[in-house]
Structures are given as C-alpha cells and as structure tokens.
Amino acid sequence: MGINFYIEQFKAEINDIYKAYRFSHLGLYHMYSTVKNMKAQNNLENFRIQDQELNVDILFSDEEIQKASEYGFYQKIIAGNTISMFYNLWEDNYRSIFAQIQKMKPTDIKNDFFGDLGKIRNSITHKHYQRSSEINMNIRNYP
C-alpha cells in the first residue's frame, strides 16, 4: 500500500483519538455539573462511586470534584493523555511505516509538529504536567 493510504489511516486514527478526548472532556464536565447540582439540591456531603465488582469505594470531596471543572486537574489529565496518545501513535507506529516506505530508518523521518509534541509529552509523562525549559524556548507556533 502506498504512503497516501497510511497518511489517511493516520489522520483517521488521530481523528478518533480526538473525538474520544472530546467525549471524555464533555462527560467529565457533565459529571462535574451534575454532581455539583445534586449536592446543592439534596444537601449531600460527598459524592461516592462504588464499584462492587472490583470492591472499590471512592468518595469525592468538594476539592476533588472541582478538579473535574473546565480547567481542573482531571481535565488536564485527559488532555495530557490525548497528547501522549497522538505522539505515541506517530512514534510507535506511523513513523516506522513511513520510514519503511521511504526505505529510511525511523530516526531519519522527522516532523517538526511531532517533535514538539514529543517534548510536550515528555513534560506530561516525566515532569507531571510541568513545562520544561526545552518547551518554553523551542515550541513553534502552529496555525
């Protein structure tokens, strides 16, 4: 199969990951709004998720529920995981495919966007969502 086939496949997979991110973001935001309203209307002290199959019981304090808000920490986790998935799809799959088609080594296939995404992914993964000086100095502006 030609490179255009794999480019289209790559774009479709990126699109699917992005859709999953948007659904997760919306679901988390909806959960935040629902819990906040339920607590206010019913004078509840805590929100609880109980999974009997796994024997897990989690209580969410007001502070933890706030982390699910629009710019809260749980939303940041979902966004960070999505960025990491974009980069990993490139690095672990398509970079090698494109290299093979071009009869090159994967390390010879370079892309500025995915290079920058790799720096962001490293900060997400290895610096617990903290920017590194490498990101502050070297990330390009994309349209």
Side-chain angles (χ1 to χ4, degrees):
M1 289 186 216
I3 196 163
N4 288 336
F5 170 82
Y6 289 107
I7 289 171
E8 291 305 313
Q9 188 175 334
F10 186 35
K11 286 168 47 177
E13 287 188 59
I14 291 286
N15 191 43
D16 286 342
I17 292 169
Y18 182 72
K19 284 180 183 178
Y21 160 71
R22 295 308 300 170
F23 274 118
S24 297
H25 172 81
L26 179 63
L28 190 56
Y29 183 76
H30 178 69
M31 179 65 86
Y32 164 75
S33 299
T34 300
V35 169
K36 194 172 175 182
N37 289 339
M38 283 174 37
K39 286 181 73 166
Q41 291 173 358
N42 299 305
N43 198 25
L44 298 174
E45 191 171 324
N46 284 306
F47 175 68
R48 174 187 225 155
I49 294 179
Q50 195 171 37
D51 186 333
Q52 294 175 346
E53 191 173 307
L54 296 176
N55 196 26
V56 174
D57 191 21
I58 305 170
L59 292 174
F60 291 88
S61 66
D62 286 338
E63 182 181 318
E64 290 166 322
I65 292 169
Q66 189 63 34
K67 290 179 182 179
S69 67
E70 184 70 23
Y71 297 103
F73 185 67
Y74 298 149
Q75 293 286 7
K76 186 191 289 189
I77 289 172
I78 290 172
N81 287 342
T82 301
I83 289 169
S84 294
M85 289 175 69
F86 287 159
Y87 178 76
N88 290 344
L89 188 62
W90 161 256
E91 186 62 29
D92 297 340
N93 194 3
Y94 286 96
R95 189 175 186 187
S96 296
I97 290 171
F98 297 148
Q100 185 177 12
I101 290 170
Q102 297 297 320
K103 298 182 181 5
M104 300 169 76
K105 292 186 267 178
T107 54
D108 292 336
I109 301 291
K110 308 236 186 264
N111 179 284
D112 289 342
F113 177 74
F114 284 101
D116 288 346
L117 216 57
K119 293 173 189 171
I120 295 168
R121 179 222 167 260
N122 286 340
S123 286
I124 290 165
T125 304
H126 302 293
K127 294 186 175 281
H128 198 53
Y129 299 91
Q130 301 300 313
R131 289 184 190 181
S132 70
S133 59
E134 185 177 58
I135 289 175
N136 290 334
M137 300 298 286
N138 296 321
I139 294 296
R140 295 159 190 79
N141 291 320
Y142 295 97

